[in-house]
Amino acid sequence: MAAAGWPLSSSVADLLPASLSLTLLLASLVVVVVLGAAAFFFEHIRKIGCTHSLERTEVSALFFEDPNSLNKVPCPSIYDPAEKYISLIIPAYNEEHRLPEALTETLNYLKQRSAVEKSFTYEVLIVDDGSTDHTSKVAFEFVRKHKIDNVRVLLLGRNHGKGEAVRKGMLHSRGELLLMLDADGATKVTDLEKLEAQVRALAKKAESSLAPSNSPSQRLSDAEIAVFGSRAHLEKQALATRKWYRNFLMKGFHLVVLLTAGPGIRDTQCGFKMFTRAAARKLFTNIRLKRWCFDVELVYLCKHLRIPMAEVSVNWTEIPGSKVRMTSILHMVFELLLIKVGYGLSIWKIYS
C-alpha cells in the first residue's frame, strides 16, 4: 500500500512548487501593475500641479480680434477693476448649430434690460475651445453686429476642455458679476436674475455681520460669493424618463461627488453658475481640472477658501446634441479621484 501510494505523494510534491511559483509570479505581476499605475497616477497629479504653477505666473498672450476694425484688443485681467456690471462666459466647442439661437435670446434680454437699467452694462464672452466646425465664424458675426465692447470671442486654438474654456473666460472678463452658461441655451438667461438676487442677499448678509453700520458699503465685486444654478428639483422627472442603467450610473456618480466635495450642493454639474469678481479671482486662479469635473472642484475650493455658496433652482430644458457620453462617467470618476488625492495629500496647494 505504501509503495502504491508513493507515486501519488511524489506527484503532489512536484506540483506544489509549480503552483506556488505561479502564485508568486501572478502576485508579483499584480504588485508591479499596481505600483506602475500608482506611479503614473501620482506623476499625472504632479504634472497638473506644475502646469498650474506655470499658468498662475505666466503673462497672457491672448487677445480679442475685432472683425470691424481688424485690430487686436488686449485681454483684460481678473485682477483689474471691473468695467462692466456683468460678464457672461459661454464655453463653446463645435456649437455652430446651437449657438446662434442661444446668443440671440441672450443678447435680446441683455439689450432690453440695459435700456431700462442704465447701470446694467454687460459683455458676452464666447470662448471657442478649439472647434473644428464654424463656431468661431458664427460667434464673430455677433461681434460684428453688437460691437466688440459687448461681444467678444476668445480663441483657444486647440481643444482643452470645458473647464479650461470657462477658466480662461473668467480670467479675462470685466464684470462685477461673472456668469457661466452653456452654449446650448438649456437654461433660460432670464434666470440670471434669480442668481443675482441670491448674490446680493448673501453680500448684504455678509456686510451686516462684518462691517459697522457707519462704514462705507462694500462693492458687490469685492464680496466673495458663488451661486450655483440647480436642476435638482427636476430629478424625479429625469429618473422617470431615463434608462435604468443611466440612473444607476448617475446615482453612483453623485455618491462619488458627495464623498469628494462633501454635502451642500446637490447639482454640481449644472452649467449655470454666478460668481462675484473677488470669488472668481480666487477660484479660477486655483482650479486645476480642465474638462468634466471642474464644477466639483469649484465646490471643493469654495469650502476650503470659505467662500459662501448657495444653490438656486433654475428652468432647464434638455437640448439635443449633448457631448456627454456614458464613457464620460469613467473620465469624471478619474477626475474626482484626482481632486481627492491632489488636495487631500496637499500635492496641490490652495492659494488664498
Side-chain angles (χ1 to χ4, degrees), residues 287-334:
I287 199 167
R288 268 86 171 176
L289 297 184
K290 298 182 182 295
R291 291 199 176 273
W292 300 109
C293 288
F294 76 98
D295 308 80
V296 181
E297 188 181 6
L298 286 172
V299 175
Y300 186 95
L301 288 170
C302 279
K303 290 185 176 183
H304 284 262
L305 291 168
R306 300 185 183 278
I307 294 175
M309 294 183 294
E311 191 171 14
V312 176
S313 297
V314 295
N315 296 300
W316 184 84
T317 306
E318 187 164 358
I319 307 295
S322 172
K323 297 177 179 65
V324 180
R325 303 288 181 263
M326 284 296 98
T327 52
S328 303
I329 299 292
L330 295 176
H331 195 167
M332 291 178 182
V333 172
F334 178 71

Side-chain angles (χ1 to χ4, degrees), residues 110-149:
L110 295 172
K111 287 174 67 178
Q112 289 171 10
R113 185 168 169 185
S114 64
V116 176
E117 303 173 33
K118 297 306 178 183
S119 61
F120 185 83
T121 54
Y122 66 88
E123 68 171 349
V124 176
L125 178 50
I126 304 135
V127 186
D128 185 350
D129 187 26
S131 298
T132 56
D133 64 357
H134 295 102
T135 295
S136 61
K137 182 180 179 181
V138 170
F140 276 119
E141 286 300 321
F142 281 87
V143 181
R144 286 188 181 93
K145 182 178 178 181
H146 298 274
K147 309 305 179 186
I148 198 166
D149 188 51

Side-chain angles (χ1 to χ4, degrees), residues 62-66 69-76 148 152:
L62 294 173
F63 56 85
F64 299 113
E65 293 182 3
D66 185 353
S69 67
L70 301 182
N71 292 330
K72 293 181 179 180
V73 179
C75 282
I148 198 166
R152 297 181 165 192

Side-chain angles (χ1 to χ4, degrees), residues 78 82 84-89 123 166 169-180 195 221 225 227 273-281 284:
I78 191 69
K84 299 280 187 178
Y85 174 69
I86 191 167
S87 296
L88 281 70
I89 293 92
E123 68 171 349
V166 171
M170 291 283 175
L171 294 181
H172 298 299
S173 60
R174 297 176 289 167
E176 290 185 61
L177 298 177
L178 288 75
L179 175 75
M180 58 170 274
L195 276 63
S221 59
I225 297 166
V227 178
K273 298 178 174 67
M274 183 177 284
F275 309 90
T276 58
R277 192 170 187 80
R281 186 183 303 124
F284 290 96

Side-chain angles (χ1 to χ4, degrees), residues 14-287:
D14 290 337
L15 285 172
L16 275 174
S19 62
L20 185 60
S21 299
L22 181 61
T23 302
L24 289 173
L25 177 61
L26 291 174
S28 299
L29 286 173
V30 170
V31 170
V32 169
V33 170
V34 169
L35 289 177
F40 170 80
F41 181 71
F42 281 102
E43 177 63 14
H44 186 62
I45 292 177
R46 188 192 69 80
K47 284 184 177 179
I48 292 174
C50 290
T51 302
H52 175 260
S53 297
L54 291 173
E55 290 172 343
R56 279 182 60 87
T57 56
E58 71 178 355
V59 177
S60 176
L62 294 173
F63 56 85
F64 299 113
E65 293 182 3
D66 185 353
N68 293 314
S69 67
L70 301 182
N71 292 330
K72 293 181 179 180
V73 179
C75 282
S77 169
I78 191 69
Y79 292 101
D80 298 336
E83 298 177 17
K84 299 280 187 178
Y85 174 69
I86 191 167
S87 296
L88 281 70
I89 293 92
I90 304 177
Y93 176 67
N94 291 346
E95 293 286 2
E96 63 174 333
H97 299 298
R98 301 195 296 180
L99 187 60
E101 184 178 349
L103 274 179
T104 300
E105 180 182 337
T106 297
L107 286 163
N108 285 342
Y109 164 79
L110 295 172
K111 287 174 67 178
Q112 289 171 10
R113 185 168 169 185
S114 64
V116 176
E117 303 173 33
K118 297 306 178 183
S119 61
F120 185 83
T121 54
Y122 66 88
E123 68 171 349
V124 176
L125 178 50
I126 304 135
V127 186
D128 185 350
D129 187 26
S131 298
T132 56
D133 64 357
H134 295 102
T135 295
S136 61
K137 182 180 179 181
V138 170
F140 276 119
E141 286 300 321
F142 281 87
V143 181
R144 286 188 181 93
K145 182 178 178 181
H146 298 274
K147 309 305 179 186
I148 198 166
D149 188 51
N150 293 323
V151 182
R152 297 181 165 192
V153 179
L154 190 61
L155 303 173
L156 298 190
R158 64 179 180 85
N159 180 251
H160 295 268
K162 182 181 178 181
E164 179 66 0
V166 171
R167 187 183 78 89
K168 289 287 190 184
M170 291 283 175
L171 294 181
H172 298 299
S173 60
R174 297 176 289 167
E176 290 185 61
L177 298 177
L178 288 75
L179 175 75
M180 58 170 274
L181 65 164
D182 291 335
D184 58 5
T187 305
K188 291 295 182 184
V189 68
T190 52
D191 277 357
L192 74 82
E193 295 176 16
K194 297 180 181 179
L195 276 63
E196 181 186 0
Q198 187 63 50
V199 167
R200 289 190 172 278
L202 288 174
K204 186 175 181 180
K205 180 179 178 182
E207 185 178 6
S208 62
S209 62
L210 295 176
S213 58
N214 59 349
S215 64
S217 296
Q218 182 186 45
R219 290 183 301 176
L220 188 61
S221 59
D222 293 334
E224 295 178 357
I225 297 166
V227 178
F228 297 76
S230 175
R231 305 158 298 180
H233 60 293
L234 303 172
E235 185 177 10
K236 288 184 179 179
Q237 179 184 347
L239 288 172
T241 55
R242 280 199 303 249
K243 298 288 186 181
W244 68 268
Y245 58 86
R246 288 177 65 93
N247 288 331
F248 177 78
L249 288 172
M250 290 309 297
K251 285 290 186 182
F253 174 73
H254 289 154
L255 177 61
V256 179
V257 168
L258 182 65
L259 295 173
T260 303
I265 302 296
R266 293 175 61 196
D267 181 11
T268 59
Q269 302 308 110
C270 180
F272 202 75
K273 298 178 174 67
M274 183 177 284
F275 309 90
T276 58
R277 192 170 187 80
R281 186 183 303 124
K282 278 192 175 181
L283 293 170
F284 290 96
T285 53
N286 270 297
I287 199 167

